[in-house]
Amino acid sequence: SSQEDGSRMEKLRQLMDHYEPNDPESIQRSFARHLEYSLAITRFNFTMQDAYRAAGLVLRDRLLESLNDTNAYYREQDVKRGYYLSAEYLIGRHMQNAIANLDLEQSFKDAFEDLGMKLEDLFAEEADPALGNGGLGRLAACFLDSMATLSLPCWGYGIRYSYGMFKQGIKDGRQVEEPDFWIGDGCPFEIPRPDVTYPVRFYGKVEEAYENGKNISRWVGGEIVQAMAYDNPIPGFDTYNTNNLRLWRALPSQEFDLDAFSSAHFQDAITQRRKAEDLSAVLYPNDATYEGKELRLRQQYFFVSASLQDLLREFIKRPNYKWEDLPEKVAVQMNDTHPTIAVAEMMRLLVDVQQLQWDRAWELTRKCLNYTNHTVMPEALEKWPVEMMERMLPRHLQIIYQINGIWIQKLLQRYGDGPLIAALSIVEEGDVKKIRMGHLAIIGANKINGVAAIHTEIIKKETFPEYYKWCCDNGEQNKIVNMTNGVTPRRWIHCANPALSEIFTKYLGSQEWLTDMNKLKDMLAYKEDSKLHEEWMAMKRGCKEKLADWLKSKMNLEIDQDALIDIQIKRIHEYKRQLMNILFVIHRYMELKKKSPSERAAFQKRVVLIGGKAASAYVNAKIIIKLINNVAKVINEDPDTKQYLKCAFVPNYCVSAAQVMIPASDISEHISTAGTEASGTSNMKFVMNGGLIVGTMDGANIEIREECGHDTMFIFGCQEHEVAGISARAQEGHYPIDGRLQAVFDEIRSGKFAGQAEPEAQGEFESIINRLCNIRAAGTWDGDKQLVQQTKSRIPVDIFAHHSRTLCACVDLPAWLR
Ligand code: KOT
């Protein structure tokens, strides 16, 4: 009877209405239970990997409790929800962060030390989930931590790539890419949800019909892929709130399989199955460059469609939902243009599926969606060929055309016909017609934001000037806003540098600074406190020791801990100018070499560490890696200088490497050509750890300088407004090569770092310095194709002038840094 059912349910509810206790002994019991029953391990024989997995399951139990309670609370309160749509999440390891955020640090430490295990050894067993390329993906991960900590009801949506960012190996000084199957035997922090799946259609055609007095469009045929949810709980710090990162995995659709099996197309069914799974197989390893691959557009639509279906289903579940309320209840943030097909998909779901009128749907869509721009590099702007979109997403192309038609109509009314219309159209005309995703995003979004003050100004004046004009002409100046990036101090101070965290907490009297960074200003009261200075130096020393051990174990490099630690870690990119850094290292080496032994002893010892991955097809970036490795080899083996200058390329830079390197830095390099780095985020992490920035007037460096004081940074190089002029003058030959830079070029040309032993590398090195000098390359090392590609590159032709100016400024660093 239903009464009996009811009382059984009640019993079950009571059984489940219980929380796992968090004292050390209970943690130990929970750990033993998971080892024995969840992992089927015997008590006599388990590895550290088993221990890590069991400890992960202990945490997962607790994460599930707070995730479920948080979700129930959000539903009960009928709150407005935020959804972050991102193709990338560079989350890094979970375990240490989860322990800190769940307030389990002491219990875990006591529990595991009592069992003879060090927590750091457990943490080291975790694969570093790298479902992102660099800054953009890491920003998404920091935001998740911060939103949970602020108790904001916000979820992240993305793709559960089977293979994340490749692992970078170095062989003969060159990058080799190895697959990163991070899932391995399964990640204890994720929760598969086989019951949460959505169909996602590709290809097929649109049928028009007339039903109930209305014209209807129906997208039919093609292929259907299933999106299955994997939830990743994101606990907040100092709050019970736990949010969710929902990642979609592609699986073949049941419907398709049945069809195929009942026919004779077994082989086709297998191929389709593979094709479906390919969708979420691998992250595209390009940072700030667009590679117009069909599979990439499929990935984008796949996760956008599943996410919007999911969030609309949640909206519809609200008691007495009204479509009018959608913008009051749902805000969607698009992380760059990667998810901007959301504009068309939202329209399709509202108009075709929910049967709303076009105008109503458009108003709701525009109020719900927001777009963050992360780069002004033209090679990153996504433009999908109309032909591809028509085949893959025929209904979306129709919708985009309709959006564009109405938009152009409005523009014509305002400005009449003219070049402005072509500039503002979503469709780019030309030999290959294309859909400009950036334009679709700004037209479909409520707010558009840049990621640092200078970057937002550049977006207005250079990236979307016509659109900004339209906004101003329509009284909507605030459509484009600035939202300078940020980073989480929980991971980047508290977890990465526990000694510094302890200092702050001790001097400030509480951990409040971990949720309110303004509190750190109170440290100024101790500015001259010698006790603090002593503790601070001990903290740095400890971080350097950890770094030294890590470098020794990872790459057998020995460093002098009295040396100045100078770090540049970020994706390898010409605009980020790792090349300039290594040219400076060569210069310093040559200066040292010239000196007598006693003069050398007066030099500040320095260790220069450079790390970062190059996109697999990025030829010049890969040459730069090879050059750094070759230079390092010469310098580190030179008995005259190796005491005073060491240089190394640190392989496989990733979140966990950053957590060791950043706290140990004395200075770090953020030296992009002014106007090219949208924000940068590692600059913030270095500064938070008491490092000093060597940098250009670019991205968030400028705001950090205002915040911390001009005297806390070593700024050099030209400003953004000077770049165009320098570029023009350089082309007219107004910049003679500085003698010091010329000497560095000569040293490279002489074959010192490659020469006859490595003729190929020698050719490559010469080719990149020729490029700096605007020598059009008489070189033949890689055929004409390569040269054509090089001259087309966006790197300003003035780069030589630029480099020589900035290099000189580097050379002119204050004496104490030498
Ligand atoms: C663009 C296309 C594909 C993959 C990544 C990008 C990308 C990455 N665009 N911008 N970024 C970086 O985003 C960071 C977070 O806002 C910025 O700090 C950084 O300057 C950008 O280069």
Side-chain angles (χ1 to χ4, degrees), residues 7 20 23 99 156 166 293 315 324 383 409 440 459 477 493 567 618 620 635 673 709 721 795 798-799 801:
S7 68
E20 290 288 289
D23 57 287
I99 292 173
F166 63 76
K293 289 277 179 354
F315 176 75
E324 272 60 36
K383 297 174 190 174
Q409 229 27 65
L440 180 60
I459 295 179
Q477 288 87 338
I493 303 179
I567 301 183
Y618 193 166
N620 284 336
I635 293 183
T673 309
H721 64 86
I795 297 300
D798 79 300
I799 193 93

Side-chain angles (χ1 to χ4, degrees), residues 438-507:
H439 285 54
L440 180 60
I442 54 179
I443 292 159
N446 179 39
K447 294 276 183 204
I448 298 123
N449 78 283
V451 292
I454 181 182
H455 169 64
T456 303
E457 289 312 304
I458 296 175
I459 295 179
K460 290 183 196 166
K461 293 186 191 117
E462 288 162 41
T463 315
F464 300 122
E466 299 88 359
Y467 181 71
Y468 185 57
K469 175 179 161 50
W470 159 266
C471 294
C472 293
D473 290 349
N474 285 279
E476 291 189 313
Q477 288 87 338
N478 296 331
K479 198 94 188 150
I480 303 184
V481 295
N482 180 242
M483 193 51 61
T484 300
N485 284 164
V487 300
T488 165
R490 273 77 61 187
R491 180 176 292 263
W492 296 107
I493 303 179
H494 185 68
C495 292
N497 194 346
L500 179 58
S501 178
E502 233 172 77
I503 292 179
F504 286 151
T505 301
K506 177 176 146 189
Y507 280 83

Side-chain angles (χ1 to χ4, degrees), residues 88 133-140 284-290 296 335-338 372-377 379-382 450-452 455 485 575-576 676-684 699-700:
E88 305 189 8
N133 272 282
L136 169 143
R138 183 54 232 174
L139 183 76
Y284 275 91
N286 298 327
D287 191 70
T289 14
Y290 156 72
R296 170 76 169 181
N335 198 21
D336 214 276
T337 54
H338 316 148
T372 305
N373 174 286
H374 291 268
T375 179
V376 297
M377 306 295 279
E379 67 263 35
L381 298 183
E382 293 188 298
V451 292
H455 169 64
N485 284 164
Y575 85 79
K576 296 180 191 276
T676 60
E677 187 71 276
S679 162
T681 42
S682 76
N683 41 8
M684 303 167 191

Side-chain angles (χ1 to χ4, degrees), residues 200-207 217-223 301 305 345 348 352 391-396:
V200 178
R201 187 186 303 273
F202 294 96
Y203 310 107
K205 59 177 195 238
V206 182
E207 285 175 356
S217 296
R218 209 178 277 126
W219 183 19
V220 295
E223 305 168 359
Y301 177 62
S305 177
E345 176 67 357
R348 188 187 71 85
D352 295 3
R391 253 189 313 115
M392 188 193 302
L393 303 169
R395 178 63 185 134
H396 296 79

